[in-house]
Amino acid sequence: MAIKRPKPEEIVVKLRQVEVLMGQGMPRIDAIRQISVTEQTYYRWKKKYGGMGTEQLKELKRLQKENERLRRAVSDLTLDKL
């Protein structure tokens, strides 16, 4: 059975849930457990998506797609030149 990986939008929502729970006085470890992820996963998500809103997330996705398209174009041109 395949492992379901959360989408970036879901990750941002979970990070906000932890912030809300901590704001209510819950210890960070308990708040992380509440959203059903490990500490390591939480900190990795926080490093990548921390402080990001939905608009910024959409912009990040758009830039990643454009970057991939440009890399493919450069790769194709390099192969044609060889």
Side-chain angles (χ1 to χ4, degrees):
M1 185 163 179
I3 297 174
K4 181 186 173 240
R5 294 180 190 252
K7 296 179 181 176
E9 293 87 5
E10 295 169 347
I11 292 172
V12 169
V13 169
K14 286 187 176 196
L15 288 174
R16 292 216 178 138
Q17 285 176 347
V18 171
E19 289 175 8
V20 168
L21 292 172
M22 286 176 20
Q24 294 173 351
M26 184 181 283
R28 181 175 303 200
I29 302 298
D30 294 336
I32 293 170
R33 289 183 187 142
Q34 182 91 17
I35 64 166
S36 304
V37 297
T38 63
E39 264 186 275
Q40 183 179 8
T41 301
Y42 168 76
Y43 288 115
R44 187 175 62 243
W45 287 354
K46 187 175 177 187
K47 182 178 177 184
K48 188 171 183 180
Y49 300 107
M52 202 177 280
T54 54
E55 289 301 317
Q56 292 171 327
L57 189 58
K58 288 177 186 176
E59 180 68 14
L60 175 65
K61 282 184 179 181
R62 187 188 67 75
L63 290 173
Q64 286 174 338
K65 283 183 182 179
E66 182 181 355
N67 193 19
E68 182 61 33
R69 183 184 62 80
L70 292 172
R71 285 179 192 231
R72 261 191 252 118
V74 169
S75 156
D76 291 344
L77 290 173
T78 304
L79 287 174
D80 289 345
K81 191 172 184 178
L82 292 175

